[in-house]
Amino acid sequence: MSSASAFLQFWWTDRVRDNFLSYLPQEDLCSLRLACHDFGVRTAPLLFTELAITFRPSTFTKPARMAALTRIGRHVRMLTFNMPHGPDTFLPPLLDCVTGEEVTFVYEPCCLPTRSSAARLSVPTYGSWEMTDLLVKQYPPLFHAAANVSSFIRAFSTLTNLKHLKVSCLGQEAAHRYRRSTVDYALISLRIAVERSPLPDLDTLSLLSIHPGSLLYLHPTMGFGALPNSAKRWRQIRKIAIHMDTIPYGPSNPTDHLKLLHSYLQTFSCSVRRLVFRWNGPKGPFPLALGSEPSLTTASPSLACPRRCHLALRPLKFACLRFMEVENATLDASQVSSFITAHRRSITEFNFEDSNLRSGTWDEALAPLTRISGNERWKKRSEEVMDVPLVLSPVGLEHGEVQRVRREQEVVMERIRKEQRHLRSPALGTGGWGKVMGARGRGLFWGTEEHMRRFLRSSVLAWR
């Protein structure tokens, strides 16, 4: 068989070819894709499995970029949408050009199926022609790109096989927590695009480093432009991870962000199986038991709606939850106990990383496990035992002493290698001599007790 025929047989065998391509680095795949058309077709699914987008004014509007996304969109399985906070995303107040007074802007997403020139001329983008004129003159192009919902829908419609969506919004300043920025308008467009695009395989959602106010714009029923069937898409989610910035909470601090978080998590109560939550910054409350949080159960006269202060939040109950992890939280033993009891029929594993108990003990918090299992064997399985190596470092030694110790170690290692080669000699066989000489080799490596005692007492090596 010629070399060409052998290569064709190898290349046309799907499992062998795909296994070979999976081991190639990204640079080689890029070069292979440029060799010929068939190589490009075969390598495209591996090259474009993961796609990261940092949102810019022309991200979803540039024709060449959208044409490329149309060609490779079906290969994308994981999309990372990045839009960090910064000076470009800050939105100043709208001012009237004549009087200089601040103008109130009530946003309503414009979701036209096409944004042709005729459509732009017939319907104002932002409610009225006067408001549209003010926004065009005073707000940057990044805002108008973020509010262009139709471009988001066109982009996400090409990602027909998307399974995992990541959203990252880093860097919000504490002074801007209660101001709407360009990032918030982009999140509105992103949520509407996900809800109205054909994404049947989407089952994983990761909200990484998001600000607390973002949940208002990502909420499928409370967000801007929400429809009665908006929650249908989000019921596909089986795995969700949320990393949220911490806001000071307590009786004298606002708690709106905690109520938004509670309502947002309730959206996934019927579908999610794996839930991971982490507070970024100072420790926050237990996000899955906000109904029993003291700062939410006590009424505060400074809140905007005092009539609703006495209404308690409904406890969260995830019907299909199998795995739960909460990191950097402050919680009560009663909250953990109630959560375990409520999910005892479904949950199989839960972790509390870097979390502290505000009241009670961990034995009280995990007491339902004893009642469920009928014994305390789970306590023994939860213990972790590991070997900690002894690391000695030459501190305060001269170069000559360090070199002398290294030569001594090389001599010992050479003796050990000679003994190992002697043990592998066919003349000795595999009988008891091997065991005896193996113990002797370990003794040469570790030394005797007296040797180690003199070694540690000497000034050659010191602790660091």
Side-chain angles (χ1 to χ4, degrees), residues 384-405:
E384 295 184 0
V385 180
M386 62 181 67
D387 295 330
V388 180
L390 176 65
V391 180
L392 301 176
S393 176
V395 179
L397 297 180
E398 296 181 357
H399 181 71
E401 295 180 349
V402 175
Q403 294 297 328
R404 180 174 59 81
V405 173

Side-chain angles (χ1 to χ4, degrees), residues 436-457:
V436 175
M437 296 303 295
R440 182 182 178 186
R442 289 192 297 272
L444 288 173
F445 179 75
W446 293 108
T448 61
E449 295 181 3
E450 184 63 24
H451 170 72
M452 287 299 298
R453 191 177 296 110
R454 291 197 307 268
F455 179 74
L456 294 176
R457 278 203 305 263

Side-chain angles (χ1 to χ4, degrees), residues 293-350:
E293 187 64 27
S295 60
L296 292 176
T297 55
T298 58
S300 176
S302 61
L303 297 180
C305 301
R307 295 183 179 180
R308 297 183 59 86
C309 292
H310 66 282
L311 298 180
L313 299 178
R314 296 176 57 186
L316 289 175
K317 177 70 178 298
F318 299 93
C320 304
L321 186 63
R322 306 281 293 174
F323 175 86
M324 183 276 296
E325 179 177 329
V326 174
E327 185 175 352
N328 197 29
T330 300
L331 35 82
D332 299 326
S334 59
Q335 293 177 335
V336 179
S337 176
S338 301
F339 178 83
I340 296 175
T341 303
H343 298 83
R344 63 186 183 278
R345 299 187 182 278
S346 61
I347 195 167
T348 59
E349 182 178 353
F350 55 87

Side-chain angles (χ1 to χ4, degrees), residues 329-389:
T330 300
L331 35 82
D332 299 326
S334 59
Q335 293 177 335
V336 179
S337 176
S338 301
F339 178 83
I340 296 175
T341 303
H343 298 83
R344 63 186 183 278
R345 299 187 182 278
S346 61
I347 195 167
T348 59
E349 182 178 353
F350 55 87
N351 297 327
F352 293 94
E353 297 288 343
D354 193 20
S355 299
N356 298 334
L357 286 180
R358 186 170 42 197
S359 63
T361 63
W362 283 111
D363 288 338
E364 297 174 357
L366 303 179
L369 296 179
T370 303
R371 295 195 297 268
I372 294 172
S373 60
N375 53 59
E376 295 185 353
R377 294 179 182 176
W378 60 270
K379 292 184 178 180
K380 299 180 181 179
R381 292 196 297 267
S382 63
E383 295 180 356
E384 295 184 0
V385 180
M386 62 181 67
D387 295 330
V388 180

Side-chain angles (χ1 to χ4, degrees), residues 70-251:
T70 303
R71 292 193 299 270
I72 68 172
R74 66 181 184 275
H75 304 306
V76 178
R77 299 294 186 273
M78 184 176 70
L79 174 67
T80 303
F81 182 86
N82 298 306
M83 192 172 182
H85 293 265
D88 297 337
T89 61
F90 176 76
L91 296 178
L94 279 177
L95 301 179
D96 188 273
C97 299
V98 179
T99 63
E101 297 179 353
E102 184 176 353
V103 179
T104 303
F105 173 42
V106 180
Y107 178 63
E108 183 178 354
C110 185
C111 306
L112 295 178
T114 58
R115 297 296 293 165
S116 61
S117 58
R120 288 195 298 268
L121 293 175
S122 61
V123 180
T125 305
Y126 304 107
S128 64
W129 292 111
E130 294 79 5
M131 182 59 65
T132 301
D133 184 65
L134 279 178
L135 293 172
V136 170
K137 292 179 179 179
Q138 300 185 26
Y139 278 2
L142 185 61
F143 163 78
H144 301 286
N148 191 350
V149 182
S150 301
S151 65
F152 277 77
I153 295 177
R154 287 197 301 271
F156 275 82
S157 297
T158 63
L159 310 176
T160 53
N161 296 316
L162 183 65
K163 294 179 64 66
H164 188 179
L165 175 61
K166 290 184 177 181
V167 181
S168 178
C169 307
L170 293 168
Q172 188 190 45
E173 298 182 9
H176 300 164
R177 285 173 179 167
Y178 298 99
R179 292 191 61 88
R180 195 176 299 166
S181 66
T182 305
V183 177
D184 300 324
Y185 290 96
L187 293 179
I188 295 173
S189 302
L190 176 69
R191 177 185 54 80
I192 295 175
V194 171
E195 294 170 357
R196 304 188 184 187
S197 301
L199 304 174
D201 297 331
L202 181 64
D203 61 357
T204 307
L205 176 64
S206 299
L207 305 178
L208 308 178
S209 300
I210 61 171
H211 53 289
S214 63
L215 297 183
L216 174 62
Y217 311 106
L218 292 172
H219 202 292
T221 58
M222 297 172 56
F224 293 83
L227 298 177
N229 62 343
S230 295
K232 181 179 179 180
R233 173 71 65 214
W234 303 105
R235 282 196 289 266
Q236 299 177 192
I237 300 300
R238 299 293 182 266
K239 304 174 184 178
I240 183 171
I242 302 177
H243 299 176
M244 181 182 292
D245 298 338
T246 308
I247 292 182
Y249 67 98

